[in-house]
Amino acid sequence: MGNVGLLYVGAVLFINGMMLLGKIEARAAGIFNLFVGALQVITPTVLIITANGNTNQILSASGLYLFGFTYLYVGIGLLGGFDTTGVGYFSLFVAIMALGFSFANFQILKDRPFGIIWLYWSFLWLLFFLVLGLKRDHLTHYTGWVTAIEGWVTAAIPAYFLLTGYWQGWNQTLIATVLLVFGVVVFGALWLLERRRAVISTQATPAGGETTPAH
């Protein structure tokens, strides 16, 4: 059941990434956030109730609430036109807790790939804090790309392979290594590209605010 929820986390992250990139209208994205937020609250509740005291299953399920509450918070905020500061500071809480869940996956659950994936999520929710909580608008475009990419890399693709049974047969250390290298290289390169884009944009806009005409 948790893998089904993970699949739709991929969908909502992709939708939210496209929203941050200006491709999707905010209220339209808000509706889908409510759908997935509700799913990510119901799913861990069912998993915990049916865990029969299995502490590892309860531990795994408990982290899902962090995301369910985020999507509900975002969805209500987008539809109601509320200030983003609250969800921004909640994102800081999620970013910190994600580090704890990363440690738990490495040390308790012995799940190295998801130990790395939780680090991805910690980084992403830290970006949400910077953009939504501290209003660092210059990071919005970069955050949009990171969000959309993580939707596929940390959620949709792993969920598909978990549901089909392929994931369990692969070398888990290799998967974790590939995820780590991919994240560092892609997000690092994306940051450099965004910096270059910002410099070009600044150079193309004179102090008076008018765009320099092309020759």
Side-chain angles (χ1 to χ4, degrees):
M1 186 173 184
N3 295 334
V4 174
L6 184 64
L7 182 67
Y8 290 97
V9 165
V12 77
L13 287 176
F14 178 70
I15 291 293
N16 288 346
M18 292 298 100
M19 176 188 68
L20 290 170
L21 291 171
K23 305 296 183 182
I24 297 176
E25 195 270 332
R27 288 172 62 86
I31 296 171
F32 194 66
N33 273 268
L34 292 181
F35 292 158
V36 179
L39 177 64
Q40 289 299 93
V41 169
I42 294 171
T43 296
T45 302
V46 172
L47 291 173
I48 290 171
I49 291 173
T50 59
N52 295 319
N54 185 317
T55 55
N56 283 352
Q57 184 172 327
I58 294 171
L59 174 63
S60 296
S62 63
L64 302 179
Y65 287 114
L66 295 172
F67 307 120
F69 293 147
T70 298
Y71 304 135
L72 289 175
Y73 208 157
V74 169
I76 294 170
L78 291 174
L79 292 174
F82 301 128
D83 178 72
T84 63
T85 307
V87 71
Y89 275 86
F90 177 66
S91 296
L92 176 61
F93 174 83
V94 175
I96 294 170
M97 289 305 304
L99 295 175
F101 278 97
S102 174
F103 175 82
N105 273 268
F106 280 120
Q107 298 298 321
I108 300 173
L109 302 176
K110 306 302 181 183
D111 189 338
R112 292 178 180 177
F114 272 88
I116 298 297
I117 285 174
W118 275 98
L119 292 179
Y120 270 76
W121 289 335
S122 179
F123 174 59
L124 179 58
W125 261 254
L126 176 62
L127 289 176
F128 290 157
F129 164 64
L130 294 174
V131 171
L132 303 176
L134 299 185
K135 312 294 186 181
R136 303 292 173 83
D137 293 338
H138 65 283
L139 294 173
T140 300
H141 200 262
Y142 176 73
T143 303
W145 278 114
V146 173
T147 305
I149 292 169
E150 286 205 19
W152 291 100
V153 174
T154 70
I157 294 174
Y160 172 79
F161 286 117
L162 283 163
L163 288 167
T164 56
Y166 288 109
W167 184 275
Q168 295 84 339
W170 291 337
N171 185 302
Q172 299 299 291
T173 300
L174 177 60
I175 295 175
T177 303
V178 170
L179 285 168
L180 178 61
V181 172
F182 179 89
V184 172
V185 171
V186 172
F187 296 148
L190 184 60
W191 173 254
L192 294 176
L193 288 173
E194 285 296 310
R195 290 285 299 273
R196 182 172 180 272
R197 173 177 170 270
V199 170
I200 293 174
S201 176
T202 301
Q203 291 175 344
T205 306
E210 297 180 0
T211 303
T212 303
H215 296 285

